[in-house]
Amino acid sequence: ASLAALIGFNIHDFLDGLAIGAGVLTNERLGVVVFLAVLVHEVPAGFVLATIMRAAGHSRGVALLAGASIGLITLVGILVPFLVGDLSPTTSSIFLALAAGSFIYIAATDLIPAAMGRESRAVFLLVPLGFGAFYVSDLLIAKLI
């Protein structure tokens, strides 16, 4: 299970990196918004992965490396669109669609059902609050860039 989590997190975070890189190349504002969205969930994801590794009996060092791996693979993903060179709108759209699809999949299969399964429905309000925070951050970034 810990190996599956490590592989799954790294695939997801590679796609996050592709989205950041493609976003920056497509539009600075889009790149900043995607970067902030990824940053907000990367830090907790690193802790989650490290916790999974520790629960599976791995050492602290292995858990630390596993958590750090998702940050490193994100950086690799960011570089790929820049290494491709002249990124066509089609290629950029593919990179952004892959990342958006992984976000939607995780939200639909994990986050929303987990929020609905809580005793308090107040947790479910965090989902639209997240959308609102995304929208407000986009407006603020538009004023700055």
Side-chain angles (χ1 to χ4, degrees), residues 34-107:
V34 172
F35 169 76
L36 291 174
V38 169
L39 181 66
V40 166
H41 82 272
E42 284 303 318
V43 174
F47 285 111
V48 167
L49 183 56
T51 301
I52 291 169
M53 299 305 278
R54 290 292 288 152
H58 297 285
S59 69
R60 287 183 186 199
V62 169
L64 179 64
L65 286 173
S69 73
I70 63 175
L72 294 173
I73 199 71
T74 302
L75 293 174
V76 171
I78 291 170
L79 292 175
V80 168
F82 289 94
L83 295 175
V84 167
D86 189 21
L87 195 65
S88 73
T90 302
T91 306
S92 177
S93 296
I94 290 170
F95 288 162
L96 291 168
L98 285 169
S102 74
F103 272 114
I104 291 168
Y105 173 80
I106 289 169

Side-chain angles (χ1 to χ4, degrees), residues 9-28:
F9 270 101
N10 275 276
I11 290 169
H12 168 80
D13 291 316
F14 178 75
L15 294 175
D16 286 349
L18 287 178
I20 293 169
V24 168
L25 289 174
T26 300
N27 178 294
E28 284 182 11

